[in-house]
Amino acid sequence: MNGLLNGVLGFRESGGVLSVDSILLSLLATFLLTHAAAWVYVRAHRGVTYSGTMARSLIILSLVVALVMLVIGNNIARAFGLFGALALIRFRTPVKDANDTVFLFFAVAIGIAMGTGNYVAGTIGTLIICLVFLYLASSRFGDPLDHDGLLRFQIPTNGNNGDELRTVLERYCESVNLLHLRESDDGQNIEFSYQIKMIDVCYSTPLIAEIKSFAEVSQLSLLMQDAEAAP
């Protein structure tokens, strides 16, 4: 049994050729670990920047990196050649969330660990990082303010519905914080931006409907942490 395991983990057959068992083991281990990381990404991600494409791309990226590391092995010339070729690729997709960037590096790290045969380090590292990320997400560590969303709207400069609108907000929200108040470019409207915490998240739809009932209100939008509601 030990001889079989050592043979699989030996990576290279005589002559430096990759063994089929080593390739399959590396790619399978990469898939399983990155699938766990992608699951954490899906479960713990908040906000409107979530992308299913990103979750799937994490798995593919990690497999590609593992394959590259398998091909490179200890050959320095091959390493320069492959990374020189990869440097020609230009990625145009913007990364909108810091978590996306972190998980991209996470997937690359898993691919490198599995592609170089560091199965124990890759497995333990993936487990610990996933647990830490789940803890940080569930405890909402780092959230500076307790709020559900950002409400924006405009009313005419000479309008008189400001107090009534404030009353509506206080009826649906636990807390209402005015972030900024500014005059529109044409000078005819005033833009209000409020940070709000809803009494119940399901109140977002009736809140928007009631604010819309004011004829003077325009450019109304409500951006929630987990979803976007708009008139």
Side-chain angles (χ1 to χ4, degrees), residues 18-136:
L18 287 168
S19 67
V20 175
D21 291 341
S22 297
I23 296 172
L24 293 177
L25 178 62
S26 296
L27 295 181
L28 178 60
T30 301
F31 170 77
L32 293 176
L33 291 180
T34 315
H35 192 282
W39 180 87
V40 171
Y41 172 81
V42 173
R43 299 290 297 181
H45 199 286
R46 296 191 184 94
V48 296
T49 60
Y50 170 77
S51 170
T53 302
M54 173 64 74
R56 294 185 289 272
S57 297
L58 291 174
I59 298 175
I60 301 301
L61 174 64
S62 188
L63 288 170
V64 170
V65 172
L67 182 59
V68 169
M69 297 306 298
L70 283 170
V71 172
I72 289 175
N74 296 322
N75 192 313
I76 297 178
R78 190 179 298 166
F80 279 108
L82 281 173
F83 281 106
L86 292 174
L88 297 176
I89 301 175
R90 297 291 184 266
F91 296 96
R92 301 297 184 184
T93 303
V95 179
K96 299 178 181 180
D97 194 300
N99 281 333
D100 293 352
T101 304
V102 169
F103 272 92
L104 285 173
F105 278 107
F106 190 11
V108 170
I110 293 174
I112 292 176
M114 297 298 102
T116 55
N118 293 296
Y119 300 115
V120 176
T123 302
I124 294 176
T126 299
L127 177 63
I128 292 176
I129 292 173
C130 286
L131 290 175
V132 169
F133 194 87
L134 285 173
Y135 158 72
L136 294 175

Side-chain angles (χ1 to χ4, degrees), residues 111-199:
I112 292 176
M114 297 298 102
T116 55
N118 293 296
Y119 300 115
V120 176
T123 302
I124 294 176
T126 299
L127 177 63
I128 292 176
I129 292 173
C130 286
L131 290 175
V132 169
F133 194 87
L134 285 173
Y135 158 72
L136 294 175
S138 61
S139 65
R140 303 183 72 87
F141 178 83
D143 290 355
L145 296 172
D146 188 17
H147 66 278
D148 291 324
L150 180 65
L151 177 69
R152 291 178 175 170
F153 58 85
Q154 293 184 6
I155 60 174
T157 305
N158 57 356
N160 54 8
N161 289 325
D163 293 338
E164 297 178 19
L165 285 168
R166 180 79 184 195
T167 301
V168 171
L169 292 176
E170 291 176 350
R171 185 161 66 249
Y172 288 99
C173 304
E174 289 184 12
S175 63
V176 180
N177 300 311
L178 180 63
L179 290 182
H180 73 259
L181 181 67
R182 71 179 184 88
E183 191 175 51
S184 62
D185 295 336
D186 57 14
Q188 297 181 1
N189 295 290
I190 298 177
E191 181 180 275
F192 291 83
S193 294
Y194 286 99
Q195 199 170 58
I196 61 175
K197 178 173 178 58
M198 309 290 294
I199 295 175

